[in-house]
Amino acid sequence: MSNVRVLVGTRKGAFILTSDGKRKQWTVNGPHFGGWELYHLKGSPADPNRLYASQTSSWFGQVIQRSDDGGKTWSPPGTKPEDLIGPDGMPKGESNMFLYDASAETGQPLTTHQWYDGSQRPWEFKRVWHLEPSLTDPDTVYAGAEDAALFKSVDGGKSWKELARLRNARGHLWQPGAGGMCLHTIVLDRAHPDRIFVAISAAGTFRSDDAGKTWRPTNKGLVSKYELPDPDAEVGHCVHCITMHSSRPNVLFMQKHWDVLRSDDAGDSWHEISGNLPSDFGFPIAVHAHEPNTVYVVPIKSDSEHYPPDGKLRVYRSKTGGNEWEALTKGLPQQDCYVNILRDAMAVDQLDPCGLYFGTTGGQVYASADAGDSWTPIVRDLPAVLSVEAQTLK
Amino acid sequence: MVRVVLPQHLRTLARVDGEVTLDITGPATVGAVLDAVETRYPMLRGTIRDHMTQRRRPFIRFFACEQDLSHESLDAPLPATVASGVEPLLIVGAMAGG
């Protein structure tokens, strides 16, 4: 029988939750890296025991951690004794060095981006929000950074190189959202190996069809009436999350700051599918593992009231690819609930029926083993949850 | 020989208990101590000072002999008692509400 491993990043460490395929009994392991912010952990699709983690701190900066045994042990890549080379014993890896590439050959001049007040500020690395391992190579992994940039490692996270041409996509007009100017979503496409989608707050979505050599904004159809002076500007939109089903790579779903949207042409154009949602503000969006037209969101009341409408924690599911949504409430608190669910904090497994997982800023991780029909908390009292990823282990 | 006390999170990252001792070649300065720390414990590169600018991270402080050395030049000589190992150099996470 398959097992499930759920990787949870929190404000004060990482937790690994494991269960068999029934998903009824769970083992909680952690905290790993206690006291640090774990923005994201994710396993390699090509080697599920290869895990990457972004460990960060306002005090001590960014550290990348890697596990090669499914989370039992961790090391910053490139700092094990066997990684040491040279007479001075210096490591060949600099796993936490994220330097923007301003070189003439491959880089882009490191200029400025827009600040909250419309003035220009210089780019400055702060942290890694998201790690996206390659679909085929365990040693290749992408990192989405704040200030917004995309980095790539081809040596298991030992060293990183920026795919700097992304900043050429009108980077001077990008601006921070409330959480900072972060590249938070990276979507890879098994059908088009050179295609990469990224999403940035607050810049929008961008697509490369040549493995990151060139990029273009893909925001046609997005309207940000209250956030931008030009509501349908080419860039500047606060996209919170995008997702896709691997069987239908031209169909993307988006949770924007306000509005839930869909693209049927790989991001070339978008149309709204908010339909009957009680609020179309929210952070995560997910697609069912086996039904590419079944989509999940968690409505949040507003951009300043980051909690569910009416104090009721409800996941909304559309089986029609949008517009027609049903509330999923069984097992979720339906009164006095004022938590938030952050953009990277919802995931699906690959079992049948499909399992769903989400974590809250109140420290709960909820699981559904029946595609969202009913929910149970795996844990209730973790630190605020930043990210949730699910691995299905054969 | 210089004694250095790292903050708890960096001790965990470097996998050391208690204070560390380092041999410094040349004048004993904060910069020389940081060079030695980062050579011995490469996983600490970027955690105390910025990779690119080599400036102290904002929430890191350097204390010794009941003095705050955080704003001294990295090339300024350490107090003689620190340089001789009588007193440790404290690398501290700033008190910042965390």
Side-chain angles (χ1 to χ4, degrees):
Chain A
M1 177 185 271
S2 297
N3 295 320
V4 176
R5 185 192 292 141
V6 177
L7 309 172
V8 181
T10 80
R11 288 267 180 228
K12 292 294 177 184
F15 297 83
I16 299 178
L17 321 177
T18 50
S19 177
D20 62 21
K22 294 178 183 171
R23 296 159 288 180
K24 300 294 183 194
Q25 302 292 325
W26 290 87
T27 301
V28 179
N29 180 260
H32 300 266
F33 322 114
W36 292 69
E37 293 185 295
L38 268 291
Y39 264 60
H40 194 223
L41 303 90
K42 194 158 187 178
S44 162
D47 175 4
N49 280 334
R50 165 66 63 86
L51 309 181
Y52 293 97
S54 171
Q55 173 186 1
T56 184
S57 154
S58 297
W59 285 261
F60 309 117
Q62 179 68 49
V63 179
I64 294 294
Q65 295 277 358
R66 192 180 90 195
S67 174
D68 294 331
D69 55 12
K72 294 185 184 74
T73 61
W74 295 85
S75 290
T79 58
K80 288 180 180 173
E82 58 267 31
D83 290 322
L84 299 178
I85 57 165
D88 56 356
M90 299 296 272
K92 57 187 174 187
E94 292 280 9
S95 61
N96 61 344
M97 188 187 283
F98 290 87
L99 300 181
Y100 296 108
D101 183 359
S103 69
E105 299 75 33
T106 57
Q108 194 64 28
L110 195 58
T111 55
T112 56
H113 61 79
Q114 205 172 133
W115 192 237
Y116 296 101
D117 62 0
S119 62
Q120 291 285 307
R121 286 280 181 100
W123 242 271
E124 181 182 290
F125 176 81
K126 297 181 179 68
R127 59 176 60 81
V128 169
W129 279 64
H130 185 97
L131 291 162
E132 191 66 37
S134 155
L135 298 170
T136 55
D137 175 16
D139 282 336
T140 296
V141 55
Y142 297 85
E146 175 190 357
D147 285 340
L150 182 64
F151 289 84
K152 182 179 183 181
S153 172
V154 295
D155 55 10
K158 292 177 185 173
S159 62
W160 297 87
K161 182 165 176 55
E162 188 198 4
L163 301 178
R165 297 288 159 80
L166 172 60
R167 286 188 281 111
N168 199 28
R170 303 177 73 78
H172 64 291
L173 295 176
W174 305 357
Q175 58 188 315
M181 197 179 81
C182 53
L183 193 159
H184 51 69
T185 304
I186 304 165
V187 177
L188 305 176
D189 181 351
R190 203 178 284 275
H192 305 93
D194 286 341
R195 178 171 283 180
I196 308 171
F197 298 95
V198 299
I200 297 169
S201 290
T205 65
F206 301 84
R207 193 179 89 202
S208 173
D209 291 317
D210 54 11
K213 294 186 186 74
T214 60
W215 295 84
R216 63 187 181 88
T218 46
N219 300 307
K220 189 179 174 187
L222 276 59
V223 180
S224 300
K225 192 162 51 172
Y226 301 109
E227 296 87 36
L228 294 175
D230 175 6
D232 58 357
E234 186 180 22
V235 300
H237 301 274
C238 193
V239 174
H240 285 181
C241 189
I242 61 172
T243 190
M244 127 215 322
H245 192 278
S246 60
S247 72
R248 220 169 45 168
N250 284 336
V251 178
L252 297 169
F253 295 98
M254 174 193 294
Q255 173 69 67
K256 193 164 74 68
H257 194 77
W258 293 100
D259 301 336
V260 179
L261 300 106
R262 169 179 174 148
S263 172
D264 292 299
D265 50 16
D268 287 343
S269 65
W270 297 86
H271 59 277
E272 190 176 353
I273 55 167
S274 303
N276 61 331
L277 289 170
S279 166
D280 59 15
F281 188 93
F283 290 96
I285 188 164
V287 185
H288 189 291
H290 314 298
E291 299 172 13
N293 230 23
T294 297
V295 193
Y296 300 86
V297 294
V298 186
I300 294 298
K301 186 175 179 186
S302 75
D303 51 0
S304 64
E305 296 158 291
H306 282 184
Y307 42 74
D310 306 317
K312 299 177 179 179
L313 182 52
R314 292 168 291 186
V315 175
Y316 274 74
R317 176 174 64 193
S318 172
K319 292 186 172 181
T320 56
N323 286 319
E324 299 165 30
W325 300 88
E326 58 178 324
L328 308 173
T329 61
K330 188 177 178 184
L332 298 176
Q334 295 304 296
Q335 61 180 19
D336 305 328
C337 182
Y338 293 94
V339 297
N340 193 9
I341 292 82
L342 299 179
R343 71 188 86 231
D344 247 347
M346 186 159 70
V348 301
D349 67 28
Q350 300 296 314
L351 295 177
D352 189 10
C354 176
L356 270 83
Y357 309 87
F358 71 88
T360 78
T361 53
Q364 301 86 32
V365 178
Y366 290 98
S368 170
D370 51 15
D373 290 340
S374 64
W375 299 84
T376 53
I378 302 176
V379 279
R380 289 183 180 276
D381 300 303
L382 297 185
V385 174
L386 302 174
S387 65
V388 173
E389 293 288 350
Q391 293 184 283
T392 306
L393 309 172
K394 304 297 182 194
Chain B
M1 187 268 295
V2 173
R3 296 160 52 201
V4 177
V5 176
L6 295 166
Q8 178 239 319
H9 285 307
L10 297 191
R11 290 201 300 273
T12 302
L13 198 57
R15 298 181 181 173
V16 296
D17 293 320
E19 64 185 39
V20 299
T21 56
L22 300 158
D23 290 321
I24 306 296
T25 54
T29 63
V30 170
V33 171
L34 295 182
D35 288 344
V37 166
E38 292 174 353
T39 300
R40 174 87 69 83
Y41 306 106
M43 64 288 284
L44 299 186
R45 291 180 192 175
T47 65
I48 300 169
R49 52 184 175 176
D50 183 83
H51 273 299
M52 192 183 295
T53 66
Q54 294 293 294
R55 281 202 297 267
R56 173 180 57 86
R57 294 185 55 79
F59 289 176
I60 294 285
R61 307 280 295 275
F62 305 131
F63 299 160
C65 306
E66 301 187 357
Q67 296 175 53
D68 182 358
L69 307 182
S70 308
H71 301 282
E72 301 289 326
S73 163
L74 291 180
D75 298 324
L78 284 166
T81 51
V82 176
S84 62
V86 175
E87 294 282 342
L89 174 69
L90 309 180
I91 299 177
V92 177
M95 193 159 44

